[in-house]
Amino acid sequence: MVSIVHSNAQQNPGTNGLESSTRSAESSGPIEETQRLISRGQLSEAETRLDALASQQPEPAGVERMRGMIHYQRNEFAAANSAFEKAIVQDPKDLQATQMRGVTLYRMGQPAAAIPLLERANTPIASENADGTYVLAVCYLDVHRYDDARRIFAQQYKLPADSAASYLFMGRMLLRRNYPVESEKMTRKALELEPKLPLAHLLLGQLALSRSQAAEAVVEFEAERKINPMDGEVYERLGDSYLRALRYEDAQQALNCALLLEPNSTAPYILLGQVLLKRDDALTALNYLLRAERMDSNNHLTHLLLGQAYRALGRKEDATREYKSAESIQNSVENPK
């Protein structure tokens, strides 16, 4: 979810925060007071004041933009869009309203319609509102304008637009947006430009795991380990891949390395529990799983594996308790109140 409502909605492009704070302190007019109410989340009171202001002829500048902000914060996107559209008609130079209408259209599932508005507002006010820049880049992703998205992300993260790092960043963002094929293309392009780029093989391994291609994932994570040997996540993912490839001894060794580097992460403990259960070492598995349970008692998989460990050790009552805990946690996730 995108959250883009800022207390600086009244600022003009080019106004810095100190000047704005000084002006706010000195101003006590109805427009400024209403803006402060919106910034504090007092939306009903702000709306009442806006209704009074809207009855004036002509309607004061900024009223419809602030009305749009109120509707946006309430997730009333159709009403917000109408208000921002009216604000732009009243003042075509209102870049805050222009940007917010673009963001609202994005939230309404209309990225193509949002792009021209976000483009118009992005350059003048990008330094004041990075969220709008991010939304523009995501809209480019959703309409498959990947080079434009890469350019925006590179600008935002101060990367050369055609660098290996910018392609890898795009690979990660595409995976996050559930475009795995495009993600792999961007990541492989990054490796073409810089064969020893850290985290690129890690991402390719994650993509392979998502396709249940354990052997391919192992190749990628082993390559990442050579480039990036101090990253605990690499060993965790490698251990997971070995486990899926039924290479239990290798999995145990990799996960022990992950524990040394990331002792406060539960995932290696849980995976080690799985590996040791596969190796018929329920007692040692129990120790690792109990550690994971102490670190995070709300993981249903931990309780499920604890149940298996207790059952293997002949502790039926303990096993039943853990199975019930796993079921309860899973039900609470699937059927939240």
Side-chain angles (χ1 to χ4, degrees):
M1 179 177 292
V2 176
S3 176
I4 195 169
V5 177
H6 296 281
S7 61
N8 68 345
Q10 277 294 108
Q11 293 182 15
N12 292 320
T15 302
N16 64 42
L18 179 59
E19 291 172 345
S20 175
S21 299
T22 303
R23 187 169 62 251
S24 295
E26 295 172 349
S27 302
S28 58
I31 292 290
E32 292 76 13
E33 282 295 323
T34 304
Q35 178 58 54
R36 282 194 282 272
L37 289 171
I38 294 173
S39 299
R40 292 195 295 263
Q42 297 172 258
L43 303 185
S44 296
E45 186 175 348
E47 191 170 33
T48 299
R49 295 198 181 198
L50 286 177
D51 289 340
L53 289 168
S55 66
Q56 298 179 14
Q57 292 297 329
E59 183 181 67
V63 167
E64 292 304 320
R65 182 197 332 112
M66 288 189 287
R67 192 184 302 281
M69 290 289 187
I70 290 173
H71 287 304
Y72 184 90
Q73 290 196 47
R74 291 172 173 167
N75 292 332
E76 299 166 352
F77 298 127
N81 181 47
S82 296
F84 290 132
E85 184 177 20
K86 186 174 181 181
I88 296 168
V89 170
Q90 291 175 343
D91 180 7
K93 295 182 180 180
D94 189 338
L95 295 181
Q96 294 287 353
T98 301
Q99 185 182 68
M100 284 305 305
R101 186 174 180 224
V103 173
T104 301
L105 287 168
Y106 164 73
R107 294 289 300 276
M108 295 171 70
Q110 301 178 41
I115 285 173
L117 295 160
L118 294 168
E119 287 177 332
R120 192 184 313 157
N122 182 57
T123 301
I125 63 175
S127 61
E128 292 182 8
N129 193 340
D131 287 348
T133 303
Y134 171 81
V135 174
L136 174 58
V138 171
C139 286
Y140 283 144
L141 287 181
D142 288 347
V143 299
H144 312 300
R145 290 172 57 178
Y146 300 133
D147 287 336
D148 288 328
R150 178 168 50 80
R151 173 177 53 81
I152 292 292
F153 283 131
Q155 175 186 336
Q156 192 170 19
Y157 284 83
K158 296 180 172 54
L159 300 170
D162 295 322
S163 66
S166 72
Y167 279 97
L168 178 57
F169 190 96
M170 270 295 294
R172 291 189 63 178
M173 294 305 300
L174 285 162
L175 179 59
R176 185 175 298 176
R177 300 295 292 178
N178 198 28
Y179 299 128
V181 174
E182 294 83 355
S183 173
E184 182 169 356
K185 289 179 181 178
M186 287 289 175
T187 306
R188 293 199 181 281
K189 175 65 175 179
L191 283 171
E192 287 178 16
L193 294 171
E194 190 174 333
K196 294 185 178 181
L197 180 66
L199 304 181
H201 287 288
L202 179 65
L203 183 54
L204 290 174
Q206 291 171 336
L207 285 163
L209 279 184
S210 72
R211 298 190 297 263
S212 299
Q213 296 174 332
E216 182 180 335
V218 165
V219 171
E220 296 297 344
F221 292 134
E222 287 179 339
E224 184 67 34
R225 180 179 57 187
K226 293 178 182 178
I227 297 169
N228 196 10
M230 297 303 293
D231 190 333
E233 184 183 2
V234 175
Y235 294 94
E236 175 195 320
R237 299 284 187 169
L238 184 56
D240 188 11
S241 302
Y242 284 142
L243 172 59
R244 300 188 195 198
L246 310 183
R247 294 170 58 178
Y248 301 135
E249 184 176 353
D250 291 332
Q252 186 172 348
Q253 291 175 358
L255 292 168
N256 280 327
C257 291
L259 284 181
L260 290 173
L261 292 168
E262 299 291 343
N264 297 318
S265 174
T266 60
Y269 291 97
I270 295 171
L271 288 167
L272 267 171
Q274 289 181 276
V275 170
L276 290 162
L277 285 172
K278 293 290 187 181
R279 302 192 77 186
D280 296 321
D281 188 353
L283 185 59
T284 308
L286 181 64
N287 291 330
Y288 284 112
L289 293 168
L290 286 172
R291 175 68 181 272
E293 195 275 336
R294 287 194 295 270
M295 296 169 66
D296 179 9
S297 61
N298 292 317
N299 188 316
H300 88 282
L301 179 58
T302 303
H303 290 282
L304 181 63
L305 293 171
L306 279 169
Q308 294 176 14
Y310 281 128
R311 184 179 63 183
L313 294 169
R315 296 168 58 174
K316 295 182 179 179
E317 291 184 2
D318 291 328
T320 299
R321 182 191 68 243
E322 294 300 333
Y323 288 140
K324 288 182 178 179
S325 294
E327 183 179 6
S328 176
I329 293 169
Q330 186 68 11
N331 287 338
S332 67
V333 171
E334 294 176 353
N335 303 294
K337 294 182 180 179

